[in-house]
Amino acid sequence: MPDLPVIDKTRLPLHIAIIMDGNGRWAKEKGENRLFGHYQGVQSVRDTVEGCAELGISYLTLYAFSTENWDRPEEEVSGLMALLAETIRKEVPTLNKNNIKLQTIGNISMLPEYAYKELLEAVELTRTNTGLTLIIALSYSSRWELVTAVQHIATDVKNGKIQPGDINQDTLRNYLNTSAFPDPELMIRTSGEYRISNFLLYQLAYAELYFTDTRWPDFRKADLYKAILNFQQRERRFGKTGEQIQQETATDAL
Ligand code: IPE
Ligand code: IPE
Ligand code: MG
């Protein structure tokens, strides 16, 4: 396992979020069609999930399909849905063997019926696992999530359940799809794109961002370790000064 010994297991990111990008370009570079790239990306998912579970990461969110991705050519969308349903079904025994709990965020009611069922079944079958929580963002976008949250808050205000003046950051957090999970501390995007593409805009407020040129189908545990090592070299200040942070770290060590 390359680099693993130098990862400080006491300072792991609690939650890693990944924008798995570059499948289409990876395939085209090999003279194949885009779906071939998506199929190859499944091995990267396996490797990354395994790597996170072995290290003891608590939460891993994978951006698999955005609300905007519905606008792709019909054959790519249907191919992706079929791949998704098949992968989820096949992976459930491995998830259970490794004590991994599957969760989803996103507008999953938009999925075709068969994929929706497969997904709910897998969530149910892994519900009592207590190791890594694997969150798949499917038909997800942050703006969709925020608009939906605001609609629900407005309804609850109208029904007298909450008062406008009582709405604070915790209220908003509770209405998001991610209410059960802590914010990501490390966000990785593959394929050399430097953007967020409507992913967890609220939750990534203080995440460390890591970008790599590696296309998703080439991403392996070694790449994950590299990102975590990079994360561990950063000073997270949360608006404070570097001196304050060093002082707090020194006090904590006592
Ligand atoms: C990421 O790879 C997977 C999905 C968005 C579903 P892409 O399909 O976006 O690949 P590129 O970015 O076109 O290379
Ligand atoms: C973001 O990738 C969505 C997923 C990885 C699922 P895209 O390929 O859709 O993002 P853009 O269009 O390049 O911003
Ligand atoms: Mg892309």
Side-chain angles (χ1 to χ4, degrees):
M1 281 186 221
D3 284 332
L4 189 53
V6 278
I7 290 179
D8 179 352
K9 294 273 208 97
T10 66
R11 289 175 56 245
L12 291 171
L14 182 63
H15 183 173
I16 300 178
I18 307 184
I19 302 178
M20 310 184 288
D21 196 19
N23 298 351
R25 278 163 289 160
W26 182 90
K28 276 182 87 179
E29 283 152 13
K30 298 198 154 28
E32 302 282 349
N33 69 19
R34 297 179 53 84
L35 271 176
F36 180 72
H38 297 314
Y39 272 80
Q40 293 303 307
V42 174
Q43 189 50 45
S44 310
V45 172
R46 283 198 201 102
D47 219 58
T48 304
V49 171
E50 198 179 278
C52 284
E54 284 167 356
L55 277 171
I57 301 290
S58 301
Y59 299 89
L60 171 66
T61 298
L62 298 177
Y63 200 8
F65 195 85
S66 72
T67 52
E68 287 78 17
N69 290 149
W70 290 114
D71 295 332
R72 290 192 177 191
E74 209 283 313
E75 63 172 45
E76 181 168 346
V77 171
S78 54
L80 268 166
M81 289 301 138
L83 173 64
L84 181 87
E86 182 192 318
T87 306
I88 288 172
R89 180 161 24 84
K90 279 196 191 151
E91 294 300 319
V92 167
T94 312
L95 294 177
N96 280 333
K97 199 177 105 215
N98 295 315
N99 199 19
I100 298 168
K101 179 175 177 163
L102 185 73
Q103 300 273 281
T104 61
I105 54 171
N107 189 3
I108 58 168
S109 65
M110 283 183 75
L111 296 181
E113 179 81 10
Y114 74 94
Y116 179 80
K117 276 192 182 153
E118 213 64 79
L119 186 63
L120 290 194
E121 207 175 299
V123 167
E124 180 55 30
L125 290 169
T126 62
R127 197 172 48 86
T128 55
N129 291 340
T130 54
L132 172 71
T133 299
L134 170 63
I135 304 143
I136 307 289
L138 258 180
S139 187
Y140 174 86
S141 82
S142 209
R143 288 183 177 176
W144 165 81
E145 179 187 39
L146 287 165
V147 167
T148 308
V150 171
Q151 285 172 349
H152 289 150
I153 292 172
T155 305
D156 284 350
V157 167
K158 194 172 154 204
N159 296 337
K161 268 202 204 163
I162 46 172
Q163 298 303 312
D166 294 337
I167 297 170
N168 55 30
Q169 293 189 16
D170 287 335
T171 320
L172 181 51
R173 175 182 296 278
N174 287 335
Y175 280 84
L176 296 176
N177 272 207
T178 51
S179 59
F181 319 122
D183 286 346
E185 294 190 302
L186 169 62
M187 197 289 287
I188 302 171
R189 183 173 188 146
T190 60
S191 91
E193 304 297 351
Y194 296 82
R195 55 178 171 265
I196 306 288
S197 302
N198 221 344
F199 187 45
L200 302 173
L201 299 179
Y202 188 78
Q203 298 88 337
L204 292 176
Y206 267 105
E208 295 299 324
L209 307 182
Y210 179 87
F211 298 95
T212 169
D213 287 342
T214 304
R215 308 270 197 238
W216 180 250
D218 287 330
F219 195 88
R220 288 294 177 271
K221 277 182 203 175
D223 302 286
L224 173 74
Y225 301 154
K226 237 194 243 174
I228 295 174
L229 282 171
N230 185 289
F231 169 86
Q232 293 188 331
Q233 280 152 21
R234 301 194 191 180
E235 181 178 63
R236 306 186 71 205
R237 289 191 284 273
F238 301 97
K240 295 184 182 175
T241 66
E243 288 74 18
Q244 285 176 296
I245 300 300
Q246 283 142 30
Q247 177 82 48
E248 284 172 12
T249 316
T251 315
D252 285 351
L254 291 177

PDB file of all heavy atoms in Angstrom, residues 20-25 34 38 64 69 72 76 80, ligand 1:
ATOM      1  N   MET A  20     -16.316  12.673  -9.151  1.00  0.00           N
ATOM      2  CA  MET A  20     -15.669  11.635  -9.979  1.00  0.00           C
ATOM      3  C   MET A  20     -15.810  12.061 -11.444  1.00  0.00           C
ATOM      4  O   MET A  20     -16.791  11.746 -12.091  1.00  0.00           O
ATOM      5  CB  MET A  20     -16.361  10.289  -9.761  1.00  0.00           C
ATOM      6  CG  MET A  20     -16.541   9.891  -8.305  1.00  0.00           C
ATOM      7  SD  MET A  20     -17.266   8.249  -8.115  1.00  0.00           S
ATOM      8  CE  MET A  20     -18.957   8.509  -8.616  1.00  0.00           C
ATOM      9  N   ASP A  21     -14.818  12.768 -11.950  1.00  0.00           N
ATOM     10  CA  ASP A  21     -14.964  13.354 -13.286  1.00  0.00           C
ATOM     11  C   ASP A  21     -13.893  12.829 -14.247  1.00  0.00           C
ATOM     12  O   ASP A  21     -12.805  12.454 -13.826  1.00  0.00           O
ATOM     13  CB  ASP A  21     -14.871  14.887 -13.171  1.00  0.00           C
ATOM     14  CG  ASP A  21     -15.396  15.584 -14.418  1.00  0.00           C
ATOM     15  OD1 ASP A  21     -16.141  14.950 -15.192  1.00  0.00           O
ATOM     16  OD2 ASP A  21     -15.052  16.761 -14.608  1.00  0.00           O
ATOM     17  N   GLY A  22     -14.231  12.815 -15.534  1.00  0.00           N
ATOM     18  CA  GLY A  22     -13.251  12.501 -16.576  1.00  0.00           C
ATOM     19  C   GLY A  22     -13.452  11.163 -17.260  1.00  0.00           C
ATOM     20  O   GLY A  22     -12.612  10.751 -18.073  1.00  0.00           O
ATOM     21  N   ASN A  23     -14.564  10.490 -16.978  1.00  0.00           N
ATOM     22  CA  ASN A  23     -14.798   9.172 -17.599  1.00  0.00           C
ATOM     23  C   ASN A  23     -14.886   9.263 -19.123  1.00  0.00           C
ATOM     24  O   ASN A  23     -14.332   8.432 -19.842  1.00  0.00           O
ATOM     25  CB  ASN A  23     -16.117   8.556 -17.097  1.00  0.00           C
ATOM     26  CG  ASN A  23     -16.109   8.301 -15.614  1.00  0.00           C
ATOM     27  OD1 ASN A  23     -15.084   8.429 -14.968  1.00  0.00           O
ATOM     28  ND2 ASN A  23     -17.263   7.943 -15.072  1.00  0.00           N
ATOM     29  N   GLY A  24     -15.621  10.265 -19.589  1.00  0.00           N
ATOM     30  CA  GLY A  24     -15.849  10.409 -21.032  1.00  0.00           C
ATOM     31  C   GLY A  24     -14.557  10.687 -21.786  1.00  0.00           C
ATOM     32  O   GLY A  24     -14.259  10.045 -22.794  1.00  0.00           O
ATOM     33  N   ARG A  25     -13.777  11.637 -21.261  1.00  0.00           N
ATOM     34  CA  ARG A  25     -12.504  11.975 -21.929  1.00  0.00           C
ATOM     35  C   ARG A  25     -11.535  10.799 -21.873  1.00  0.00           C
ATOM     36  O   ARG A  25     -10.832  10.514 -22.828  1.00  0.00           O
ATOM     37  CB  ARG A  25     -11.883  13.227 -21.279  1.00  0.00           C
ATOM     38  CG  ARG A  25     -12.480  14.519 -21.807  1.00  0.00           C
ATOM     39  CD  ARG A  25     -12.177  15.679 -20.914  1.00  0.00           C
ATOM     40  NE  ARG A  25     -12.932  15.588 -19.666  1.00  0.00           N
ATOM     41  CZ  ARG A  25     -12.622  16.230 -18.546  1.00  0.00           C
ATOM     42  NH1 ARG A  25     -11.551  16.983 -18.499  1.00  0.00           N
ATOM     43  NH2 ARG A  25     -13.376  16.108 -17.472  1.00  0.00           N
ATOM     44  N   ARG A  34     -18.110   6.877 -24.597  1.00  0.00           N
ATOM     45  CA  ARG A  34     -18.138   7.428 -23.243  1.00  0.00           C
ATOM     46  C   ARG A  34     -18.572   6.405 -22.192  1.00  0.00           C
ATOM     47  O   ARG A  34     -18.051   6.384 -21.069  1.00  0.00           O
ATOM     48  CB  ARG A  34     -19.050   8.661 -23.201  1.00  0.00           C
ATOM     49  CG  ARG A  34     -18.568   9.816 -24.068  1.00  0.00           C
ATOM     50  CD  ARG A  34     -19.541  10.989 -24.002  1.00  0.00           C
ATOM     51  NE  ARG A  34     -19.797  11.370 -22.635  1.00  0.00           N
ATOM     52  CZ  ARG A  34     -19.021  12.192 -21.907  1.00  0.00           C
ATOM     53  NH1 ARG A  34     -17.965  12.754 -22.467  1.00  0.00           N
ATOM     54  NH2 ARG A  34     -19.332  12.469 -20.669  1.00  0.00           N
ATOM     55  N   HIS A  38     -17.402   5.112 -18.211  1.00  0.00           N
ATOM     56  CA  HIS A  38     -18.216   4.974 -16.995  1.00  0.00           C
ATOM     57  C   HIS A  38     -18.056   3.571 -16.406  1.00  0.00           C
ATOM     58  O   HIS A  38     -17.951   3.406 -15.196  1.00  0.00           O
ATOM     59  CB  HIS A  38     -19.688   5.253 -17.304  1.00  0.00           C
ATOM     60  CG  HIS A  38     -19.952   6.662 -17.775  1.00  0.00           C
ATOM     61  ND1 HIS A  38     -19.418   7.759 -17.150  1.00  0.00           N
ATOM     62  CD2 HIS A  38     -20.678   7.151 -18.827  1.00  0.00           C
ATOM     63  CE1 HIS A  38     -19.810   8.857 -17.781  1.00  0.00           C
ATOM     64  NE2 HIS A  38     -20.575   8.521 -18.798  1.00  0.00           N
ATOM     65  N   ALA A  64     -22.107  11.000  -8.303  1.00  0.00           N
ATOM     66  CA  ALA A  64     -22.223  10.035  -9.404  1.00  0.00           C
ATOM     67  C   ALA A  64     -23.030  10.578 -10.576  1.00  0.00           C
ATOM     68  O   ALA A  64     -22.798  10.187 -11.729  1.00  0.00           O
ATOM     69  CB  ALA A  64     -22.868   8.750  -8.899  1.00  0.00           C
ATOM     70  N   ASN A  69     -26.855  16.443 -15.377  1.00  0.00           N
ATOM     71  CA  ASN A  69     -26.474  15.295 -16.222  1.00  0.00           C
ATOM     72  C   ASN A  69     -27.677  14.659 -16.932  1.00  0.00           C
ATOM     73  O   ASN A  69     -27.504  13.940 -17.926  1.00  0.00           O
ATOM     74  CB  ASN A  69     -25.719  14.231 -15.418  1.00  0.00           C
ATOM     75  CG  ASN A  69     -24.320  14.639 -14.994  1.00  0.00           C
ATOM     76  OD1 ASN A  69     -23.832  14.210 -13.939  1.00  0.00           O
ATOM     77  ND2 ASN A  69     -23.643  15.475 -15.783  1.00  0.00           N
ATOM     78  N   ARG A  72     -27.822  15.097 -20.732  1.00  0.00           N
ATOM     79  CA  ARG A  72     -26.889  14.420 -21.662  1.00  0.00           C
ATOM     80  C   ARG A  72     -27.673  13.576 -22.675  1.00  0.00           C
ATOM     81  O   ARG A  72     -28.875  13.325 -22.475  1.00  0.00           O
ATOM     82  CB  ARG A  72     -25.929  13.533 -20.861  1.00  0.00           C
ATOM     83  CG  ARG A  72     -24.960  14.369 -20.058  1.00  0.00           C
ATOM     84  CD  ARG A  72     -23.844  13.526 -19.507  1.00  0.00           C
ATOM     85  NE  ARG A  72     -22.898  14.373 -18.795  1.00  0.00           N
ATOM     86  CZ  ARG A  72     -21.715  13.988 -18.384  1.00  0.00           C
ATOM     87  NH1 ARG A  72     -21.314  12.751 -18.586  1.00  0.00           N
ATOM     88  NH2 ARG A  72     -20.913  14.832 -17.746  1.00  0.00           N
ATOM     89  N   GLU A  76     -26.542   7.885 -23.273  1.00  0.00           N
ATOM     90  CA  GLU A  76     -25.585   7.941 -22.161  1.00  0.00           C
ATOM     91  C   GLU A  76     -26.333   7.886 -20.822  1.00  0.00           C
ATOM     92  O   GLU A  76     -25.923   7.171 -19.897  1.00  0.00           O
ATOM     93  CB  GLU A  76     -24.722   9.202 -22.230  1.00  0.00           C
ATOM     94  CG  GLU A  76     -23.717   9.250 -21.083  1.00  0.00           C
ATOM     95  CD  GLU A  76     -22.630  10.311 -21.221  1.00  0.00           C
ATOM     96  OE1 GLU A  76     -22.464  10.873 -22.324  1.00  0.00           O
ATOM     97  OE2 GLU A  76     -21.940  10.564 -20.217  1.00  0.00           O
ATOM     98  N   LEU A  80     -25.944   4.923 -18.151  1.00  0.00           N
ATOM     99  CA  LEU A  80     -25.479   5.212 -16.787  1.00  0.00           C
ATOM    100  C   LEU A  80     -26.442   4.653 -15.743  1.00  0.00           C
ATOM    101  O   LEU A  80     -26.018   4.119 -14.719  1.00  0.00           O
ATOM    102  CB  LEU A  80     -25.351   6.723 -16.594  1.00  0.00           C
ATOM    103  CG  LEU A  80     -23.983   7.327 -16.896  1.00  0.00           C
ATOM    104  CD1 LEU A  80     -24.070   8.845 -16.991  1.00  0.00           C
ATOM    105  CD2 LEU A  80     -22.961   6.940 -15.834  1.00  0.00           C
TER     106      LEU A  80
HETATM  107  C1  IPE B   1     -17.994  11.865 -14.801  1.00  0.00           C
HETATM  108  O1  IPE B   1     -17.355  11.766 -16.022  1.00  0.00           O
HETATM  109  C2  IPE B   1     -19.211  11.001 -14.677  1.00  0.00           C
HETATM  110  C3  IPE B   1     -20.489  11.720 -14.780  1.00  0.00           C
HETATM  111  C4  IPE B   1     -20.630  13.012 -14.801  1.00  0.00           C
HETATM  112  C5  IPE B   1     -21.687  10.922 -14.810  1.00  0.00           C
HETATM  113  P1  IPE B   1     -17.846  12.566 -17.297  1.00  0.00           P
HETATM  114  O2  IPE B   1     -18.864  11.732 -17.996  1.00  0.00           O
HETATM  115  O3  IPE B   1     -18.288  13.925 -16.931  1.00  0.00           O
HETATM  116  O4  IPE B   1     -16.527  12.622 -18.178  1.00  0.00           O
HETATM  117  P2  IPE B   1     -15.956  13.880 -18.941  1.00  0.00           P
HETATM  118  O5  IPE B   1     -15.861  14.996 -17.945  1.00  0.00           O
HETATM  119  O6  IPE B   1     -16.900  14.185 -20.051  1.00  0.00           O
HETATM  120  O7  IPE B   1     -14.613  13.437 -19.417  1.00  0.00           O
END
